């Protein structure tokens, strides 16, 4: 199902973005640089992760209903 694979790819992408921003936060904080943009990126990637989880759950529920109808 296309929606499930798209949501999965979005979850992986958001997770990678979060990890990259978290690493950047630590590096910039230890260097005494501004970390605000890194924190915003972490929040944005978390929101994207949650949105993709919702898409995944909805697609899974719809597929389950479809299978129930077919049986």
């Amino acid at each position: 199902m296309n929606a499930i694979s798209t949501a999965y790819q979005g979850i992986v992408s958001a997770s990678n973005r979060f990890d990259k921003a978290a690493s950047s936060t630590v590096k910039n904080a230890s260097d005494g640089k501004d970390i605000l943009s890194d924190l915003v990126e972490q929040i944005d990637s978390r929101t994207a992760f949650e949105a993709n989880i919702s898409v995944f759950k909805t697609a899974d529920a719809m597929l389950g209903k479809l299978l129930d109808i077919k049986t």
Side-chain angles (χ1 to χ4, degrees):
M1 175 163 227
N2 196 17
I4 290 177
S5 64
T6 302
Y8 175 74
Q9 290 171 353
I11 290 167
V12 171
S13 174
S15 180
N16 289 338
R17 282 177 47 211
F18 184 88
D19 290 344
K20 184 177 177 184
S23 296
S24 182
T25 301
V26 171
K27 182 178 180 291
N28 288 339
S30 65
D31 291 343
K33 295 181 181 176
D34 183 31
I35 61 169
L36 184 60
S37 62
D38 297 327
L39 296 175
V40 169
E41 177 63 19
Q42 287 178 19
I43 293 168
D44 186 50
S45 60
R46 183 187 70 200
T47 303
F49 184 90
E50 291 169 350
N52 282 292
I53 289 290
S54 294
V55 169
F56 190 89
K57 287 180 180 180
T58 301
D60 183 54
M62 290 173 64
L63 183 59
K65 297 255 187 224
L66 179 63
L67 292 174
D68 288 345
I69 291 170
K70 291 194 120 205
T71 58

